[in-house]
Coordinates of all heavy atoms in Angstrom, one line a residue:
M1 N 102.0 84.5 74.6 CA 100.6 84.8 74.8 C 99.7 83.6 74.5 O 98.7 83.3 75.1 CB 100.1 86.0 74.0 CG 98.7 86.4 74.2 SD 98.5 87.2 75.8 CE 96.8 87.7 75.6
A2 N 100.1 82.8 73.5 CA 99.2 81.7 73.0 C 99.3 80.5 74.0 O 98.3 79.8 74.1 CB 99.6 81.3 71.6
A3 N 100.4 80.3 74.6 CA 100.6 79.1 75.5 C 99.7 79.2 76.7 O 99.0 78.1 77.0 CB 102.1 79.0 76.0
P4 N 99.5 80.3 77.4 CA 98.6 80.3 78.5 C 97.1 80.1 78.1 O 96.3 79.5 78.8 CB 98.7 81.7 79.2 CG 100.1 82.2 78.7 CD 100.3 81.5 77.4
I5 N 96.8 80.6 76.9 CA 95.4 80.4 76.4 C 95.2 79.0 76.1 O 94.2 78.4 76.5 CB 95.2 81.3 75.1 CG1 95.2 82.8 75.6 CG2 93.9 81.0 74.4 CD1 95.2 83.8 74.4
A6 N 96.1 78.3 75.4 CA 96.0 76.9 75.1 C 95.9 76.1 76.4 O 95.1 75.2 76.5 CB 97.2 76.4 74.3
G7 N 96.7 76.5 77.4 CA 96.7 75.8 78.7 C 95.3 76.0 79.4 O 94.8 75.0 80.0
Q8 N 94.8 77.1 79.3 CA 93.5 77.3 80.0 C 92.4 76.5 79.3 O 91.5 75.9 79.9 CB 93.1 78.8 80.0 CG 91.9 79.1 80.8 CD 91.6 80.6 81.0 OE1 92.2 81.4 80.2 NE2 90.8 81.0 82.0
I9 N 92.4 76.5 78.0 CA 91.4 75.7 77.2 C 91.6 74.2 77.5 O 90.6 73.5 77.7 CB 91.4 76.1 75.7 CG1 90.9 77.5 75.5 CG2 90.6 75.1 74.9 CD1 91.1 78.0 74.1
W10 N 92.9 73.8 77.5 CA 93.2 72.4 77.9 C 92.6 72.0 79.3 O 92.1 71.0 79.5 CB 94.7 72.1 77.8 CG 95.0 70.8 78.2 CD1 95.0 69.6 77.4 CD2 95.5 70.4 79.5 NE1 95.4 68.6 78.2 CE2 95.7 69.0 79.4 CE3 95.8 71.1 80.6 CZ2 96.2 68.3 80.5 CZ3 96.3 70.4 81.7 CH2 96.5 69.0 81.6
A11 N 92.8 73.0 80.2 CA 92.4 72.7 81.6 C 90.8 72.6 81.6 O 90.3 71.7 82.3 CB 92.8 73.8 82.5
T12 N 90.2 73.4 80.9 CA 88.7 73.4 80.8 C 88.2 72.1 80.2 O 87.3 71.4 80.7 CB 88.1 74.6 80.1 OG1 88.6 75.8 80.7 CG2 86.6 74.6 80.0
L13 N 88.9 71.7 79.1 CA 88.5 70.4 78.5 C 88.8 69.2 79.4 O 88.1 68.2 79.4 CB 89.2 70.3 77.1 CG 88.7 71.3 76.1 CD1 89.5 71.2 74.8 CD2 87.2 71.2 75.8
S14 N 89.9 69.3 80.1 CA 90.3 68.2 81.1 C 89.2 68.1 82.2 O 88.8 67.0 82.6 CB 91.6 68.4 81.7 OG 92.6 68.3 80.7
F15 N 88.8 69.3 82.7 CA 87.7 69.3 83.7 C 86.5 68.6 83.1 O 85.9 67.8 83.8 CB 87.4 70.7 84.1 CG 86.2 70.9 84.9 CD1 86.1 70.5 86.2 CD2 85.0 71.5 84.3 CE1 84.9 70.6 86.9 CE2 83.9 71.6 85.0 CZ 83.8 71.2 86.3
M16 N 86.1 69.0 81.9 CA 84.9 68.4 81.3 C 85.1 66.9 81.1 O 84.2 66.1 81.4 CB 84.6 69.0 80.0 CG 84.2 70.5 80.1 SD 84.0 71.3 78.5 CE 82.7 70.4 77.7
R17 N 86.3 66.4 80.7 CA 86.5 65.0 80.5 C 86.4 64.2 81.8 O 85.9 63.1 81.8 CB 87.9 64.8 79.9 CG 88.3 63.4 79.6 CD 89.7 63.2 79.2 NE 90.5 63.4 80.4 CZ 91.6 64.2 80.4 NH1 92.0 64.8 79.3 NH2 92.3 64.4 81.5
D18 N 86.9 64.8 82.9 CA 86.9 64.1 84.1 C 85.6 64.2 84.9 O 85.5 63.7 86.0 CB 88.1 64.6 85.0 CG 89.4 64.3 84.3 OD1 89.5 63.3 83.5 OD2 90.4 64.9 84.7
S19 N 84.7 65.0 84.4 CA 83.4 65.2 85.1 C 82.4 64.1 84.7 O 82.6 63.4 83.7 CB 82.8 66.6 84.8 OG 83.7 67.6 85.2
D20 N 81.3 64.1 85.5 CA 80.2 63.2 85.1 C 79.5 63.8 84.0 O 79.7 64.9 83.6 CB 79.3 62.9 86.3 CG 78.6 64.1 86.8 OD1 78.6 65.2 86.2 OD2 77.9 64.0 87.8
E21 N 78.6 63.0 83.4 CA 77.9 63.4 82.2 C 77.1 64.6 82.3 O 76.9 65.5 81.4 CB 77.1 62.3 81.6 CG 76.0 61.8 82.4 CD 75.3 60.5 81.8 OE1 76.0 59.6 81.4 OE2 74.1 60.5 81.8
F22 N 76.4 64.8 83.5 CA 75.6 66.0 83.7 C 76.5 67.3 83.7 O 76.2 68.3 83.0 CB 74.8 65.9 85.0 CG 74.1 67.2 85.3 CD1 72.9 67.5 84.6 CD2 74.5 68.1 86.3 CE1 72.2 68.7 84.9 CE2 73.8 69.2 86.6 CZ 72.6 69.5 85.9
V23 N 77.5 67.3 84.5 CA 78.4 68.5 84.6 C 79.1 68.7 83.2 O 79.2 69.9 82.8 CB 79.5 68.3 85.7 CG1 80.6 69.4 85.6 CG2 78.9 68.2 87.0
R24 N 79.4 67.7 82.5 CA 80.0 67.8 81.2 C 79.0 68.5 80.2 O 79.4 69.4 79.5 CB 80.4 66.4 80.6 CG 81.2 66.5 79.3 CD 81.6 65.1 78.9 NE 82.2 64.3 79.9 CZ 81.7 63.1 80.3 NH1 80.7 62.5 79.7 NH2 82.3 62.4 81.3
A25 N 77.8 68.0 80.3 CA 76.7 68.6 79.4 C 76.5 70.1 79.7 O 76.3 70.9 78.8 CB 75.4 67.8 79.5
V26 N 76.4 70.4 81.0 CA 76.1 71.8 81.4 C 77.3 72.7 81.0 O 77.1 73.8 80.5 CB 75.8 71.9 82.9 CG1 75.8 73.3 83.4 CG2 74.5 71.2 83.2
T27 N 78.5 72.2 81.3 CA 79.7 73.0 80.9 C 79.8 73.2 79.4 O 80.1 74.3 79.0 CB 80.9 72.4 81.5 OG1 80.8 72.2 82.9 CG2 82.2 73.2 81.3
A28 N 79.5 72.2 78.7 CA 79.6 72.3 77.2 C 78.5 73.3 76.7 O 78.8 74.1 75.8 CB 79.3 70.9 76.6
K29 N 77.3 73.2 77.3 CA 76.3 74.2 76.9 C 76.7 75.6 77.2 O 76.5 76.5 76.4 CB 75.0 73.8 77.6 CG 73.8 74.6 77.1 CD 72.5 74.1 77.8 CE 71.3 74.8 77.3 NZ 70.1 74.3 78.0
Q30 N 77.3 75.8 78.4 CA 77.8 77.2 78.8 C 78.9 77.6 77.9 O 78.9 78.8 77.5 CB 78.3 77.1 80.2 CG 77.2 76.9 81.3 CD 77.8 76.6 82.6 OE1 78.9 76.2 82.8 NE2 76.9 76.7 83.7
F31 N 79.8 76.7 77.5 CA 80.9 77.0 76.6 C 80.4 77.4 75.2 O 80.8 78.4 74.7 CB 81.8 75.8 76.5 CG 83.2 76.1 76.1 CD1 84.1 76.3 77.1 CD2 83.6 76.0 74.8 CE1 85.5 76.6 76.7 CE2 84.9 76.2 74.4 CZ 85.8 76.5 75.4
I32 N 79.4 76.7 74.7 CA 78.9 77.0 73.4 C 78.1 78.3 73.3 O 78.3 79.1 72.4 CB 78.0 75.8 72.9 CG1 78.9 74.5 72.7 CG2 77.2 76.1 71.7 CD1 78.1 73.2 72.5
V33 N 77.3 78.5 74.3 CA 76.5 79.8 74.4 C 77.5 80.9 74.5 O 77.3 82.0 73.9 CB 75.5 79.7 75.5 CG1 74.9 81.1 75.8 CG2 74.4 78.7 75.2
S34 N 78.5 80.8 75.4 CA 79.4 81.9 75.6 C 80.2 82.2 74.3 O 80.4 83.4 74.0 CB 80.4 81.5 76.7 OG 79.7 81.3 77.9
A35 N 80.6 81.1 73.6 CA 81.3 81.4 72.4 C 80.5 82.0 71.3 O 80.9 83.0 70.6 CB 81.8 80.0 71.8
G36 N 79.2 81.6 71.2 CA 78.3 82.2 70.3 C 78.0 83.7 70.6 O 78.0 84.6 69.7
V37 N 77.8 84.0 71.9 CA 77.5 85.4 72.2 C 78.8 86.3 72.0 O 78.7 87.4 71.5 CB 77.0 85.5 73.7 CG1 77.0 86.9 74.2 CG2 75.7 84.9 73.9
A38 N 79.9 85.8 72.4 CA 81.2 86.5 72.2 C 81.5 86.8 70.7 O 81.8 87.9 70.3 CB 82.3 85.8 72.8
M39 N 81.3 85.8 69.9 CA 81.5 85.9 68.4 C 80.5 86.9 67.8 O 80.8 87.7 67.0 CB 81.5 84.6 67.7 CG 82.7 83.8 68.0 SD 82.8 82.3 67.0 CE 81.6 81.3 67.8
A40 N 79.2 86.8 68.3 CA 78.2 87.7 67.7 C 78.5 89.2 68.1 O 78.4 90.1 67.3 CB 76.8 87.3 68.2
A41 N 78.9 89.4 69.4 CA 79.2 90.7 69.9 C 80.4 91.3 69.2 O 80.5 92.4 68.7 CB 79.5 90.7 71.4
F42 N 81.4 90.4 69.0 CA 82.7 90.9 68.3 C 82.4 91.2 66.8 O 83.0 92.1 66.3 CB 83.8 89.9 68.5 CG 85.1 90.5 68.7 CD1 85.5 91.2 69.8 CD2 86.1 90.5 67.7 CE1 86.7 91.8 70.0 CE2 87.3 91.1 67.8 CZ 87.6 91.7 69.0
S43 N 81.6 90.4 66.2 CA 81.2 90.6 64.8 C 80.4 91.9 64.6 O 80.7 92.7 63.7 CB 80.4 89.4 64.2 OG 81.2 88.3 64.2
A44 N 79.5 92.1 65.6 CA 78.7 93.4 65.5 C 79.7 94.6 65.7 O 79.5 95.6 65.1 CB 77.7 93.4 66.6
W45 N 80.6 94.4 66.6 CA 81.6 95.5 66.9 C 82.4 95.8 65.6 O 82.7 96.9 65.2 CB 82.5 95.2 68.1 CG 83.3 96.4 68.4 CD1 84.6 96.8 68.0 CD2 82.9 97.5 69.2 NE1 84.9 97.9 68.5 CE2 83.9 98.4 69.3 CE3 81.7 97.8 70.0 CZ2 83.8 99.6 70.0 CZ3 81.6 98.9 70.7 CH2 82.7 99.8 70.7
G46 N 82.9 94.7 65.0 CA 83.6 94.8 63.7 C 82.8 95.5 62.6 O 83.3 96.3 61.9
F47 N 81.5 95.2 62.6 CA 80.6 95.9 61.6 C 80.6 97.4 61.9 O 80.6 98.2 61.1 CB 79.2 95.3 61.7 CG 78.3 95.9 60.7 CD1 78.3 95.5 59.3 CD2 77.4 96.8 61.1 CE1 77.4 96.0 58.4 CE2 76.5 97.4 60.2 CZ 76.5 97.0 58.8
G48 N 80.5 97.7 63.3 CA 80.5 99.1 63.7 C 81.8 99.8 63.4 O 81.8 101.0 63.0
E49 N 82.9 99.1 63.4 CA 84.2 99.7 63.1 C 84.2 100.0 61.6 O 84.7 101.1 61.2 CB 85.3 98.7 63.3 CG 85.8 98.6 64.8 CD 87.0 97.7 65.0 OE1 87.6 97.3 64.0 OE2 87.3 97.4 66.1
S50 N 83.7 99.1 60.8 CA 83.7 99.3 59.3 C 82.8 100.4 58.8 O 83.1 101.1 57.9 CB 83.4 98.0 58.6 OG 84.4 97.0 58.9
F51 N 81.6 100.4 59.4 CA 80.5 101.2 58.8 C 80.0 102.3 59.7 O 79.2 103.2 59.2 CB 79.4 100.3 58.3 CG 79.8 99.3 57.3 CD1 79.9 98.0 57.6 CD2 80.2 99.7 56.0 CE1 80.4 97.1 56.7 CE2 80.6 98.8 55.1 CZ 80.7 97.5 55.4
A52 N 80.3 102.3 61.0 CA 79.7 103.3 61.9 C 80.7 104.1 62.7 O 80.3 104.9 63.6 CB 78.7 102.6 62.9
G53 N 81.9 103.9 62.4 CA 83.0 104.7 63.0 C 83.3 104.3 64.5 O 83.8 105.2 65.2
A54 N 83.0 103.1 64.9 CA 83.3 102.7 66.2 C 84.8 102.6 66.4 O 85.5 102.3 65.4 CB 82.7 101.3 66.5
P55 N 85.3 102.8 67.6 CA 86.8 102.7 67.8 C 87.3 101.2 67.6 O 86.5 100.3 67.8 CB 87.0 103.1 69.2 CG 85.7 103.1 69.9 CD 84.6 103.2 68.8
H56 N 88.5 101.1 67.2 CA 89.1 99.8 66.9 C 89.2 99.0 68.2 O 89.6 99.5 69.2 CB 90.4 99.9 66.2 CG 91.1 98.6 66.0 ND1 90.6 97.7 65.1 CD2 92.2 98.1 66.5 CE1 91.4 96.7 65.1 NE2 92.4 96.8 65.9
A57 N 88.8 97.7 68.1 CA 89.1 96.8 69.2 C 90.0 95.7 68.7 O 89.9 95.2 67.6 CB 87.8 96.1 69.6
E58 N 91.1 95.4 69.5 CA 92.1 94.4 69.1 C 91.4 93.1 69.1 O 90.5 92.7 69.8 CB 93.2 94.4 70.1 CG 94.0 95.7 70.2 CD 94.8 96.0 68.9 OE1 95.2 95.1 68.2 OE2 95.0 97.2 68.6
G59 N 91.9 92.2 68.1 CA 91.3 90.9 68.0 C 91.5 90.0 69.2 O 90.6 89.1 69.4
W60 N 92.5 90.2 69.9 CA 92.8 89.3 71.1 C 91.7 89.6 72.2 O 91.6 88.7 73.1 CB 94.2 89.5 71.6 CG 94.5 90.8 72.1 CD1 95.1 91.8 71.4 CD2 94.3 91.4 73.4 NE1 95.2 93.0 72.2 CE2 94.7 92.7 73.4 CE3 93.7 90.9 74.6 CZ2 94.6 93.5 74.5 CZ3 93.6 91.7 75.7 CH2 94.1 93.0 75.6
M61 N 91.0 90.6 72.1 CA 90.0 91.0 73.1 C 88.8 90.0 73.1 O 88.1 89.9 74.1 CB 89.5 92.4 72.9 CG 90.5 93.5 73.3 SD 91.0 93.4 75.0 CE 89.5 93.9 75.8
I62 N 88.7 89.2 72.1 CA 87.6 88.2 72.1 C 87.8 87.1 73.1 O 86.8 86.6 73.7 CB 87.4 87.6 70.7 CG1 86.0 86.9 70.6 CG2 88.5 86.7 70.3 CD1 85.5 86.5 69.3
Y63 N 89.0 86.8 73.5 CA 89.3 85.8 74.5 C 88.8 86.2 75.9 O 88.0 85.5 76.5 CB 90.7 85.4 74.5 CG 91.0 84.2 75.3 CD1 90.5 83.0 75.0 CD2 91.7 84.3 76.5 CE1 90.8 81.9 75.8 CE2 91.9 83.2 77.4 CZ 91.4 82.0 77.0 OH 91.6 80.9 77.8
P64 N 89.2 87.4 76.4 CA 88.7 87.8 77.7 C 87.2 88.1 77.6 O 86.4 87.8 78.6 CB 89.4 89.1 78.0 CG 90.3 89.4 76.9 CD 90.3 88.3 75.9
L65 N 86.7 88.5 76.4 CA 85.2 88.7 76.3 C 84.5 87.4 76.4 O 83.5 87.3 77.1 CB 84.9 89.3 74.9 CG 83.4 89.5 74.6 CD1 82.7 90.4 75.5 CD2 83.3 90.0 73.1
F66 N 85.1 86.3 75.8 CA 84.5 85.0 75.9 C 84.4 84.6 77.4 O 83.3 84.1 77.8 CB 85.3 84.0 75.2 CG 85.0 82.5 75.5 CD1 83.8 81.9 75.1 CD2 85.8 81.8 76.4 CE1 83.5 80.6 75.5 CE2 85.5 80.5 76.7 CZ 84.4 79.9 76.3
W67 N 85.4 84.7 78.2 CA 85.4 84.3 79.6 C 84.5 85.2 80.4 O 83.9 84.7 81.4 CB 86.8 84.2 80.2 CG 87.5 83.0 79.6 CD1 88.5 82.9 78.8 CD2 87.1 81.6 79.9 NE1 88.9 81.6 78.5 CE2 88.0 80.8 79.2 CE3 86.2 81.0 80.7 CZ2 88.0 79.4 79.2 CZ3 86.1 79.6 80.7 CH2 87.0 78.8 80.0
A68 N 84.4 86.5 80.1 CA 83.5 87.4 80.8 C 82.0 86.9 80.5 O 81.2 86.9 81.4 CB 83.7 88.8 80.3
V69 N 81.7 86.6 79.2 CA 80.4 86.1 78.9 C 80.1 84.8 79.6 O 79.0 84.5 80.1 CB 80.2 86.0 77.4 CG1 78.9 85.3 77.0 CG2 80.3 87.4 76.7
F70 N 81.1 83.9 79.6 CA 81.0 82.6 80.3 C 80.6 82.8 81.8 O 79.7 82.1 82.3 CB 82.3 81.8 80.2 CG 82.2 80.4 80.7 CD1 81.8 79.4 79.8 CD2 82.5 80.1 82.0 CE1 81.8 78.1 80.3 CE2 82.5 78.8 82.4 CZ 82.1 77.8 81.6
G71 N 81.3 83.7 82.4 CA 81.0 84.0 83.8 C 79.6 84.6 84.0 O 78.9 84.4 85.0
C72 N 79.1 85.4 83.0 CA 77.7 86.0 83.1 C 76.6 85.0 82.8 O 75.6 85.0 83.4 CB 77.6 87.1 82.1 SG 78.6 88.6 82.6
V73 N 76.9 84.0 81.8 CA 75.8 83.1 81.5 C 75.8 81.9 82.4 O 74.7 81.2 82.5 CB 75.9 82.7 80.0 CG1 75.8 83.9 79.1 CG2 77.1 81.8 79.7
S74 N 76.9 81.6 83.0 CA 76.9 80.3 83.9 C 75.8 80.2 84.9 O 75.3 79.2 85.1 CB 78.3 80.2 84.5 OG 79.2 79.9 83.5
P75 N 75.5 81.3 85.7 CA 74.5 81.2 86.7 C 73.1 80.9 86.1 O 72.2 80.4 86.8 CB 74.5 82.6 87.4 CG 75.8 83.2 87.1 CD 76.2 82.6 85.8
F76 N 72.9 81.2 84.8 CA 71.6 81.1 84.2 C 71.4 79.8 83.5 O 70.3 79.3 83.2 CB 71.3 82.3 83.2 CG 71.3 83.6 83.9 CD1 72.4 84.4 83.8 CD2 70.3 84.0 84.7 CE1 72.5 85.6 84.5 CE2 70.3 85.2 85.4 CZ 71.4 86.0 85.3
I77 N 72.5 79.1 83.1 CA 72.5 77.8 82.4 C 72.9 76.8 83.4 O 74.0 76.6 83.7 CB 73.4 77.8 81.2 CG1 73.0 78.9 80.2 CG2 73.4 76.4 80.6 CD1 74.0 79.0 79.0
R78 N 71.9 76.2 84.0 CA 72.1 75.2 85.1 C 71.5 73.8 84.8 O 71.6 72.9 85.6 CB 71.5 75.7 86.4 CG 71.9 77.1 86.8 CD 73.4 77.2 86.9 NE 73.9 76.5 88.1 CZ 75.2 76.2 88.2 NH1 76.1 76.6 87.4 NH2 75.6 75.4 89.2
S79 N 71.0 73.7 83.6 CA 70.5 72.3 83.2 C 71.1 71.9 81.8 O 71.5 72.8 81.1 CB 69.0 72.3 83.1 OG 68.5 73.0 82.0
S80 N 71.0 70.7 81.5 CA 71.5 70.2 80.3 C 70.5 70.1 79.2 O 70.8 69.7 78.1 CB 72.1 68.8 80.5 OG 71.1 67.9 80.9
N81 N 69.3 70.6 79.5 CA 68.2 70.6 78.4 C 68.4 71.8 77.5 O 68.7 72.8 77.8 CB 66.8 70.7 79.1 CG 66.6 69.4 79.9 OD1 67.1 68.4 79.6 ND2 65.7 69.5 80.9

């Protein structure tokens, strides 16, 4: 399970490395915002598991959540500012 994830992240970083500086900056911004939103959502869910009786979510679910958030925020983040 870890090898495909590492390969996908490597492919994304290779895409960023081979892109021009504008595409690199926009992709990095999308990546950072997506990671932040996914971590915040997963942390909130973990808090809900501990103190509000929310059902358990497996830890590996943060990876598909990250890419889902990436797909949702990408149309809105179109500049490097």
Side-chain angles (χ1 to χ4, degrees):
M1 180 77 176
I5 291 172
Q8 188 173 18
I9 292 172
W10 176 81
T12 303
L13 294 174
S14 293
F15 166 75
M16 290 172 65
R17 183 190 67 228
D18 296 338
S19 299
D20 65 6
E21 63 187 44
F22 175 75
V23 172
R24 188 179 313 125
V26 170
T27 305
K29 188 174 180 181
Q30 293 167 341
F31 203 89
I32 292 165
V33 169
S34 300
V37 169
M39 286 187 287
F42 216 72
S43 296
W45 190 266
F47 183 81
E49 281 184 13
S50 297
F51 300 108
H56 177 68
E58 297 292 330
W60 61 266
M61 289 299 293
I62 194 166
Y63 188 71
L65 175 64
F66 164 76
W67 285 111
V69 172
F70 188 88
C72 291
V73 302
S74 291
F76 301 103
I77 299 175
R78 305 305 291 164
S79 73
S80 59
N81 293 335

